[in-house]
Amino acid sequence: MKFYVYNSFTRQREELVPLEKGKIKMYTCGPTVYNYAHIGNLRAYVFEDVLKKSLQYVGFEVKHVMNITDVGHLESDSDTGEDKMALGAFREKKTVWEIARFYEEAFLKDCSLLNIALPSVVCRATEHIEDMIKFIQKLEAKGFTYIANGNVYFSIDKYPDYAKLANLSMEELEAGSRVEIDPFKKNPLDFVLWFTNSKFSNQIMQWESPWGKGFPGWHIECSAMSMKYLGERIDIHCGGIDHIPVHHTNEIAQSESATGKKWVNYWIHCEFLVNDSGKMSKSSGDFITISRLEEKGFSPLDYRYFCLQSRYRKQLLFSLDSLKDSKQALNKLRNKIRHIIEAGSKDEIINENKVKKYQQRFAAQICDDLNTPNAFTVLHEVIKSEELNHEEKIYLIEDFDKVFSLNLTKNEDSKESSLIDESYVNQLIVERNEARKQKDWTKADEIRNILIGINVELIDSKEGTSWRTINS
Ligand code: AMP
Ligand code: ZN
């Protein structure tokens, strides 16, 4: 079966033809570990996980590499603004190293809660400084760099196809990137490969290099690590759409200049998760994490299910109400599956031809540029089918769940919805506060116990009463 994807580079839906038959080399940009990943970031990682599992479902062998950015990423994505790692360290009064390891672990935990499979290689930027230095030396030897004010820059004028991925004119790219003008750049779109002259007086992460003690710019890590683990050419590179105009554009320029070869055949980008106030972002401070959702009574897989109900190339509007709908739909689905499992019997025979027909219909949907909503329609057809017996249904549900990864046949969270009605909880808190004011301790305790009964624990503090769910 042909696998179709939308290639951001050509702006076309294309059949995926790998460099090597049956094998896919895939690189995805990983997190900058200076804060928790928000659910917008995690939408991108869920999409990449579904892409990888869909490729595996139809028989490709996938080698997947993802970096951990623990150095060099400035706020603007180009060379302006504060150093993100230093911002985290300042905020929490920790060292940059402590921040990096803490948030890397938190990120990997979120991935595990979301059933995101670990890539074949997860590589930290700070452990690949030598590879980056060698890469910059290669660019230097070929005349693509210059040194100004102590820093090594990539000269984009030496790479004529610079604006191709973003499909913008140089003027448009410039307008989008210019926040603060660096007078040492020959072209405002040039970017730093290696800083020796850090504008941050307290720069802690520094390494010796042929250009002096310093640290790498952000973009170089992805090219250096991708080539180290996957070779000079790869099939797929992914990330969120915000990476198109700066990060991925710069990655292409430096990679193709270093090798003289086309680097990536398919660029696949995920659209944003947005809320009422726009794109969810860490810098706005107004972001939602997985643990915040858990506190509100949702499971991480409710969020995964929510993401899978939309196509990855569409903006996804997040609200707690729509997540509530997803949670209820997932619980309903699990209940139906539980009934099938309970009714099943090992004596039922699985007819391979019947099962294959549904597998092909499912594969056709995921091969259609990951049409996950339609893939769920096939799942519902299996559940309702009158031609399939229970064991065939269970077999197919488990098979599809290799891609969905929602633990559909596991007995978790499958009882009636455990969602907490927030307005009810808030109303009881008001009543309890009133009772406490009247010194009616019996009533106040009664209300506390009612809430414990629905898995809500109250926390009294100087600021008032808050609540959290008790994980049973
Ligand atoms: P960062 O940790 O900021 O480098 O971002 C990690 C990944 O999340 C990148 O692929 C981003 O493009 C992606 N991303 C950031 N914000 C959002 C959002 N609101 N919705 C979807 N993806 C996002
Ligand atoms: Zn990258």
Side-chain angles (χ1 to χ4, degrees), residues 16 18 22-26 55 60-63 235-236:
L16 183 72
K23 295 191 175 169
I24 296 283
K25 294 178 184 182
M26 168 167 161
L55 291 165
F60 288 108
E61 190 186 302
V62 183
K63 181 161 183 192
D235 298 292
I236 295 178

Side-chain angles (χ1 to χ4, degrees), residues 192-207:
V192 176
L193 296 165
W194 188 268
F195 290 95
T196 65
N197 189 7
S198 171
K199 58 181 175 176
F200 311 114
S201 51
N202 55 351
Q203 186 72 35
I204 289 166
M205 291 175 160
Q206 298 208 53
W207 295 265

Side-chain angles (χ1 to χ4, degrees), residues 45 153 160 168 209 211 218 252 402 434 469:
Y45 299 108
Y153 291 90
L168 295 171
S209 86
W211 311 281
W218 174 38
I252 296 176
K402 289 177 193 153
E434 194 45 46
T469 48

Side-chain angles (χ1 to χ4, degrees), residues 27-30 67 218-219 221-222 237 243 247-248 251:
Y27 185 90
T28 58
C29 291
N67 64 309
W218 174 38
H219 316 293
E221 67 182 77
C222 290
H237 193 312
H243 282 344
H247 184 50
H248 289 166
E251 280 187 30

Side-chain angles (χ1 to χ4, degrees), residues 23-237:
K23 295 191 175 169
I24 296 283
K25 294 178 184 182
M26 168 167 161
Y27 185 90
T28 58
C29 291
T32 304
V33 282
Y34 73 112
N35 206 333
Y36 289 107
H38 57 65
I39 55 172
N41 301 130
L42 292 165
R43 179 191 189 194
Y45 299 108
V46 166
F47 140 69
E48 287 154 3
D49 186 60
V50 171
L51 173 60
K52 176 169 70 181
K53 288 174 177 166
S54 298
L55 291 165
Q56 288 168 334
Y57 185 87
V58 296
F60 288 108
E61 190 186 302
V62 183
K63 181 161 183 192
H64 175 199
V65 176
M66 181 186 73
N67 64 309
I68 299 282
T69 298
D70 51 1
V71 66
H73 194 173
L74 307 193
E75 276 178 302
S76 68
D77 278 4
S78 38
D79 304 318
T80 54
E82 293 297 318
D83 177 323
K84 290 190 174 188
M85 297 307 302
L87 276 181
F90 178 75
R91 185 185 64 230
E92 297 180 26
K93 300 187 180 46
K94 289 185 182 154
T95 69
V96 275
W97 294 103
E98 284 166 340
I99 290 291
R101 298 302 170 254
F102 178 84
Y103 286 111
E104 176 186 311
E105 203 175 299
F107 168 74
L108 294 175
K109 184 175 165 224
D110 283 344
C111 287
S112 151
L113 290 170
L114 285 162
N115 277 350
I116 294 174
L118 266 187
S120 333
V121 177
V122 178
C123 40
R124 293 174 180 150
T126 51
E127 288 169 4
H128 294 76
I129 299 295
E130 265 312 301
D131 299 290
M132 295 189 228
I133 290 175
K134 281 194 195 129
F135 203 102
I136 301 169
Q137 284 178 309
K138 207 166 171 183
L139 290 171
E140 193 172 41
K142 291 189 167 194
F144 287 99
T145 66
Y146 61 93
I147 295 178
N149 190 32
N151 297 328
V152 185
Y153 291 90
F154 182 90
S155 176
I156 66 138
D157 294 328
K158 303 260 170 74
Y159 180 72
D161 285 342
Y162 185 76
K164 237 175 167 172
L165 173 70
N167 196 26
L168 295 171
S169 68
M170 294 303 261
E171 290 72 31
E172 284 168 310
L173 273 179
E174 228 177 89
S177 84
R178 206 168 355 181
V179 187
E180 187 187 288
I181 299 165
D182 175 350
F184 297 98
K185 289 185 179 179
K186 290 183 186 168
N187 180 321
L189 295 172
D190 289 347
F191 54 94
V192 176
L193 296 165
W194 188 268
F195 290 95
T196 65
N197 189 7
S198 171
K199 58 181 175 176
F200 311 114
S201 51
N202 55 351
Q203 186 72 35
I204 289 166
M205 291 175 160
Q206 298 208 53
W207 295 265
E208 294 297 343
S209 86
W211 311 281
K213 206 168 174 189
F215 62 100
W218 174 38
H219 316 293
I220 195 71
E221 67 182 77
C222 290
S223 299
M225 293 194 275
S226 170
M227 285 195 200
K228 175 171 181 147
Y229 295 106
L230 295 171
E232 289 187 345
R233 301 192 61 202
I234 63 173
D235 298 292
I236 295 178
H237 193 312

Side-chain angles (χ1 to χ4, degrees), residues 267-436:
W267 284 91
I268 312 178
H269 289 99
C270 170
E271 249 290 358
F272 288 143
L273 180 86
V274 294
N275 55 19
D276 288 347
S277 39
K279 176 195 171 221
M280 191 168 289
S281 72
K282 288 183 206 170
S283 51
S284 73
D286 169 29
F287 66 81
I288 300 178
T289 57
I290 284 295
S291 50
R292 184 91 190 91
L293 290 184
E294 286 182 307
E295 281 165 20
K296 292 202 169 287
F298 295 100
S299 82
L301 295 185
D302 294 335
Y303 180 65
R304 184 174 174 110
Y305 179 82
F306 171 76
C307 292
L308 299 189
Q309 296 310 302
S310 299
R311 309 269 322 241
Y312 74 92
R313 286 185 57 227
K314 271 199 171 163
Q315 264 197 8
L316 181 54
L317 177 63
F318 177 81
S319 71
L320 287 175
D321 278 342
S322 42
L323 185 61
K324 207 183 263 187
D325 292 343
S326 284
K327 183 183 179 74
Q328 274 157 0
L330 178 59
N331 277 340
K332 256 193 192 161
L333 181 61
R334 287 217 174 96
N335 280 333
K336 283 183 191 162
I337 293 170
R338 199 156 44 91
H339 290 314
I340 295 173
I341 294 171
E342 280 164 7
S345 136
K346 291 285 168 223
D347 298 337
E348 290 176 334
I349 309 239
I350 295 179
N351 176 321
E352 271 185 35
N353 287 335
K354 269 205 280 170
V355 160
K356 209 176 244 163
K357 200 172 75 186
Y358 286 90
Q359 283 176 314
Q360 277 168 353
R361 281 167 60 189
F362 177 79
Q365 295 308 330
I366 54 172
C367 289
D368 175 17
D369 196 20
L370 306 185
N371 194 335
T372 48
N374 278 1
F376 275 99
T377 307
V378 180
L379 174 70
H380 286 291
E381 281 165 13
V382 165
I383 290 171
K384 278 192 274 175
S385 164
E386 291 187 356
E387 65 164 332
L388 295 168
N389 66 33
H390 299 107
E391 288 304 308
E392 286 164 339
K393 289 185 184 188
I394 296 165
Y395 177 87
L396 282 165
I397 294 164
E398 278 174 350
D399 188 55
F400 299 173
D401 207 27
K402 289 177 193 153
V403 176
F404 294 143
S405 298
L406 290 166
N407 298 353
L408 290 175
T409 53
K410 291 198 184 144
N411 196 13
E412 61 169 73
D413 228 18
S414 59
K415 303 275 157 22
E416 284 312 307
S417 167
S418 59
L419 202 60
I420 286 156
D421 181 343
E422 285 184 40
S423 57
Y424 174 60
V425 173
N426 291 334
Q427 187 202 323
L428 286 185
I429 290 177
V430 171
E431 282 177 27
R432 178 171 168 267
N433 285 345
E434 194 45 46
R436 290 167 84 202

